[in-house]
């Protein structure tokens, strides 16, 4: 313990929790700032242009073809693939399309169906779909100030949600422990992201920052989340853990973290050998 009023140990449990939350908050704030900067830079995103069509899908039944450009859906102008998928997901019933095929505009009615597809975790999920994929064409985006802030907040939230879901899938066994990566994977992915340009590099940096923020909140001793648990224990019981218990639990936390880091490096080396 320290009698210095500026010492962390002299603070109340609530004050300590506020201090401990500052680190992860900085990670989320950095990610938000990066996403905001990207939104201000008018980045490119996938255009609503059709690539492949699944056999016997609603798109095929409606007469859509490869390289058709979707201009509008239910009278709403569509400029990005992301908005196209949102409209399909959020609406009910048939969808009236205006498409451009060569130099001609056509009206086509599509009846979406619930189809099975594989998500990023390898699970088969059911979604309302046309049965189409993008052809890879890109389009510039232009966001206003308010919209940029909204997009940055949404992307920060979605990235955090993705990391939490990944942890849930890992704990439940849906995602294997062989998918855990270490510093080698981080360097390798950073290099690959940079090959796709500055925007991809910064998007990965933002995701990495969110990842650090979420993981640091885990209730593992030696992490901020673990120290938050110690302080919550003190707030509830009005007693601080004994020094011996604190040391033992903290060492257990370091063993867990060290094991995870070694596992990540082991998986990285296996991937390098296999690749």
């Amino acid at each position: 313990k320290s009698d210095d009023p500026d010492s962390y140990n002299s603070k109340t449990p609530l004050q300590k929790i506020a201090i401990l939350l500052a680190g992860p908050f900085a990670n989320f704030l950095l990610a938000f700032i990066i996403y905001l900067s990207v939104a201000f830079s008018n980045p490119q995103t996938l255009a609503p242009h059709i690539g492949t069509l699944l056999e016997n899908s609603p798109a095929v039944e409606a007469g859509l073809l490869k390289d058709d450009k979707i201009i509008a859906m239910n009278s709403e102008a569509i400029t990005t693939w992301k908005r196209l998928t949102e409209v399909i997901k959020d609406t009910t019933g048939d969808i009236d399309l205006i498409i451009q095929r060569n130099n001609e505009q056509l009206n086509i009615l599509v009846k979406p169906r619930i189809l099975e597809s594989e998500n990023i975790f390898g699970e088969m999920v059911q979604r309302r779909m046309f049965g189409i994929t993008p052809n890879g064409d890109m389009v510039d985006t232009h966001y206003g100030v308010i919209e940029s802030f909204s997009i940055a907040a949404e992307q920060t939230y979605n990235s955090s949600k993705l990391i939490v879901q990944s942890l849930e899938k890992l704990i439940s066994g849906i995602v294997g422990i062989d998918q855990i990566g270490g510093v080698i994977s981080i360097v390798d992915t950073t290099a690959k992201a940079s090959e796709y340009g500055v925007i991809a590099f910064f998007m990965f940096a933002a995701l990495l920052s969110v990842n650090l923020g979420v993981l640091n909140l885990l209730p593992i001793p030696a992490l901020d989340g673990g120290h938050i648990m110690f302080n919550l224990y003190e707030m509830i019981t009005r007693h601080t853990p004994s020094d011996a218990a604190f040391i033992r639990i903290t060492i257990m936390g370091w063993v867990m973290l060290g094991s995870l880091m070694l596992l990540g490096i082991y998986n990285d080396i296996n991937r390098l050998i296999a690749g």
Side-chain angles (χ1 to χ4, degrees), residues 222-240:
L223 295 179
D224 287 337
H227 286 283
I228 288 172
M229 294 303 294
F230 281 125
N231 285 288
L232 288 174
Y233 170 83
E234 184 178 345
M235 288 176 64
I236 294 170
T237 65
R238 304 294 182 180
H239 296 289
T240 59

Side-chain angles (χ1 to χ4, degrees), residues 8-230:
Y8 168 82
N9 287 328
S10 69
K11 304 300 180 183
T12 66
L14 195 58
Q15 289 173 323
K16 290 179 183 178
I17 290 174
I19 293 169
L20 293 165
L21 287 174
F25 173 77
N27 288 122
F28 295 122
L29 179 61
L30 175 60
F32 174 82
I33 292 172
I34 292 174
Y35 285 133
L36 183 62
S37 300
V38 170
F40 281 146
S41 68
N42 299 325
Q44 287 195 322
T45 188
L46 285 170
H49 301 167
I50 299 175
T52 58
L53 298 90
L54 297 179
E55 290 186 13
N56 303 318
S57 64
V60 171
E61 294 170 0
L64 291 172
L65 301 176
K66 184 178 184 299
D67 292 328
D68 281 349
K69 300 177 181 179
I70 297 177
I71 299 173
M73 303 173 71
N74 290 343
S75 300
E76 176 189 341
I78 300 296
T79 57
T80 67
W81 187 267
K82 178 185 176 184
R83 184 55 191 156
L84 180 152
T85 58
E86 289 173 345
V87 172
I88 297 174
K89 176 184 174 183
D90 297 336
T91 57
T92 58
D94 301 345
I95 297 180
D96 186 26
L97 301 183
I98 298 178
I99 67 164
Q100 181 177 330
R101 182 177 296 166
N102 298 323
N103 295 319
E104 184 181 6
Q105 285 193 4
L106 303 172
N107 280 85
I108 293 181
L109 188 67
V110 182
K111 301 179 178 181
R113 289 203 307 268
I114 304 297
L115 302 175
E116 274 198 342
S117 66
E118 192 174 276
N119 65 13
I120 60 173
F121 302 111
E123 298 174 292
M124 297 305 296
V125 295
Q126 293 189 331
R127 294 176 180 154
R128 177 175 150 91
M129 293 187 289
F130 280 2
I132 57 176
T133 63
N135 68 357
D137 290 346
M138 304 298 285
V139 61
D140 291 330
T141 56
H142 301 279
Y143 303 121
V145 174
I146 296 177
E147 189 178 9
S148 295
F149 273 88
S150 175
I151 288 172
E154 180 184 2
Q155 288 183 315
T156 303
Y157 170 78
N158 288 337
S159 296
S160 303
K161 184 179 177 181
L162 175 64
I163 301 301
V164 172
Q165 287 177 331
S166 299
L167 288 171
E168 291 175 351
K169 304 299 181 185
L170 187 65
I171 293 170
S172 64
I174 294 173
V175 174
I177 60 173
D178 60 328
Q179 297 302 309
I180 295 175
V183 291
I184 299 174
S185 284
I186 293 174
V187 173
D188 181 56
T189 307
T190 302
K192 290 177 180 177
S194 63
E195 291 177 0
Y196 288 94
V198 175
I199 297 299
F201 173 79
F202 280 112
M203 292 292 280
F204 176 68
L207 182 62
L208 199 60
S209 188
V210 169
N211 183 72
L212 287 171
V214 172
L215 295 185
N216 215 10
L217 287 173
L218 292 178
I220 298 175
L223 295 179
D224 287 337
H227 286 283
I228 288 172
M229 294 303 294
F230 281 125

